[in-house]
Amino acid sequence: MHLTLNDPLDMHLHLRDHEMLKITAPLSAHSFSGALIMPNIIPPVDTKQALLDYKHRIIEAIDNENFTPLMTLFFRDTYNYKFLSDMHDELTAIKLYPAGITTNSEGGVSGFDLEKLKTPLTAMSELGIPLCIHGETNGFVMDREAEFVPIYEKLATAFPQLKIIMEHITTKESVQALDRHANLYATITVHHLLITLDDVAGGMLKPHLFCKPIAKRSEDRDALIQVAVNAHPKVMFGSDSAPHPKSAKECCGCAAGIFTAPIALPLLAELFEAHDKLDNLQSFISDHAKNIYNITPPKKSVTLKKEPFDVPQSYGDIIPMRAGETLKWKIASVQ
Ligand code: DOR
Ligand code: ZN
């Protein structure tokens, strides 16, 4: 059995920088047509020059692959219309992190004071720049995302022309919010479609399944699966593939992040097939993102075949999800 996907897009990707970038960028560039590149490198991408330099390093690392890095800026409440309009053409979205909520987010936003956010968010609305948000409060870890939903709704109401992407949603509460506001959208990862907290911590602790937001309950996962496999038009794929070196995962004080980029398409094919919805994978993996972001990525056809794929034990010093396991689908060709 074969499945061909046109122009697959990963609308939430961490490529990192320097030596790690040389490993991660070619892997995503091989099987995706483009990806939205997260800005939480060190230091965060928060100027036009930093964005252009980072884009240049990514393009160098992918070595002529047909792949568009869709660049993001790290949100600061100091951004204004003049600053953003000057770099509008280089920018696909701006990523907002609550301060300290995850990897390299210390410089993020504290409190969600609409007055403070008014200048940058009004400018983004006027320029048509989407706002991607890591939506978690600093409450109890299992409740953080649900507690953030009222903040999403407050922003969506106050800035009705602003496209707000609820990143890597993990809860039924976020799924329900999607249909209450015309300007709310969401990305979903492949790991949150597959695992619950039980897989992370129900038996021996699995550091390579530890991420933010943490995987939730099975009813949450079911709500995510329903909107993904049934092609809800406001939902798109964003892997949140977040590599860390093995030494930062298998230690005391495990870094949050699951490395899925090289196995995402085979895992999604298996999941959509299990729900008898393979025909809807094209929408989830590309068409919805093209519509929501109004982008035209380079043409790329990725053909998957239902044949065993042995996931490598590691890519450099990065351990992927499902390392050493055999998946049911593999990438057979890319054109
Ligand atoms: O698990 C995560 N890792 N979640 C995030 O939001 C950030 C990411 C990272 O950059 O490591
Ligand atoms: Zn992320």
Side-chain angles (χ1 to χ4, degrees):
M1 186 160 39
H2 287 79
L3 170 70
T4 295
L5 298 172
N6 295 313
D7 317 335
L9 292 168
D10 180 348
M11 297 310 288
H12 184 130
L13 177 65
H14 298 270
L15 288 177
R16 313 298 190 206
D17 213 345
H18 309 301
E19 288 309 302
M20 194 176 269
L21 178 63
K22 292 181 191 152
I23 298 171
T24 58
L27 291 168
S28 285
H30 174 64
S31 51
F32 288 88
S33 163
L36 191 73
I37 310 299
M38 291 298 121
N40 63 331
I41 56 172
I42 304 172
V45 180
D46 62 358
T47 65
K48 181 177 180 180
Q49 197 55 51
L51 183 144
L52 293 174
D53 291 347
Y54 187 34
K55 185 175 180 183
H56 181 76
R57 295 197 293 282
I58 295 168
I59 288 173
E60 259 183 3
I62 63 180
D63 195 23
N64 288 327
E65 277 280 7
N66 182 20
F67 172 84
T68 301
L70 302 160
M71 302 306 291
T72 64
L73 264 187
F74 188 100
F75 181 89
R76 305 266 185 212
D77 60 16
T78 49
Y79 294 160
N80 59 26
Y81 187 92
K82 184 171 179 301
F83 172 82
L84 294 176
S85 61
D86 177 49
M87 60 189 305
H88 186 200
D89 292 347
E90 300 295 338
L91 190 61
T92 300
I94 297 181
K95 175 71 185 288
L96 186 155
Y97 292 93
I101 201 70
T102 188
T103 312
N104 305 331
S105 64
E106 292 71 21
V109 170
S110 302
F112 278 81
D113 178 355
L114 286 188
E115 265 316 296
K116 267 190 160 172
L117 300 174
K118 199 169 165 187
T119 300
L121 297 190
T122 304
M124 289 171 67
S125 302
E126 288 171 7
L127 291 163
I129 303 171
L131 176 68
C132 302
I133 304 185
H134 181 124
E136 290 194 283
T137 66
N138 54 11
F140 179 66
V141 68
M142 286 294 279
D143 298 335
R144 287 176 187 178
E145 184 176 301
E147 285 176 5
F148 199 90
V149 169
I151 303 177
Y152 279 131
E153 302 208 61
K154 181 169 91 168
L155 294 170
T157 305
F159 300 95
Q161 302 309 320
L162 180 66
K163 282 189 173 171
I164 298 175
I165 324 293
M166 303 188 285
E167 293 296 332
H168 43 55
I169 59 170
T170 62
T171 59
K172 57 183 184 332
E173 286 81 1
S174 296
V175 169
Q176 288 157 3
L178 267 179
D179 293 327
R180 291 200 293 266
H181 299 269
N183 56 333
L184 277 186
Y185 303 85
T187 56
I188 302 182
T189 73
V190 67
H191 48 276
H192 290 120
L193 290 169
L194 295 175
I195 64 170
T196 69
L197 185 59
D198 250 4
D199 297 293
V200 187
M204 302 265 270
L205 188 66
K206 300 284 184 1
H208 298 293
L209 297 181
F210 173 62
C211 66
K212 299 286 180 66
I214 197 139
K216 304 290 187 313
R217 297 177 174 79
S218 57
E219 56 266 37
D220 293 303
R221 180 181 56 181
D222 290 347
L224 302 176
I225 292 173
Q226 283 316 308
V227 282
V229 305
N230 290 311
H232 190 301
K234 295 173 87 182
V235 162
M236 58 198 150
F237 176 62
S239 70
D240 198 17
S241 178
H244 292 276
K246 182 179 180 199
S247 58
K249 295 290 290 175
E250 297 182 5
C251 61
C252 171
C254 167
I258 307 182
F259 184 54
T260 53
I263 60 166
L265 295 180
L267 284 178
L268 286 170
E270 185 174 336
L271 176 81
F272 276 62
E273 186 195 16
H275 290 271
D276 207 11
K277 296 283 184 186
L278 263 185
D279 288 350
N280 284 343
L281 184 50
Q282 177 62 38
S283 315
F284 180 62
I285 204 70
S286 181
D287 301 353
H288 295 165
K290 285 184 190 173
N291 290 338
I292 294 166
Y293 277 95
N294 201 11
I295 49 175
T296 316
K299 294 255 162 281
K300 187 176 274 189
S301 292
V302 178
T303 299
L304 296 147
K305 220 178 186 175
K306 196 166 180 196
E307 276 181 8
F309 165 44
D310 295 328
V311 180
Q313 292 289 355
S314 69
Y315 293 88
D317 63 349
I318 311 162
I319 312 291
M321 184 177 171
R322 300 281 170 91
E325 295 181 27
T326 302
L327 307 186
K328 293 198 171 115
W329 288 76
K330 73 173 186 193
I331 296 173
S333 67
V334 179
Q335 264 158 0

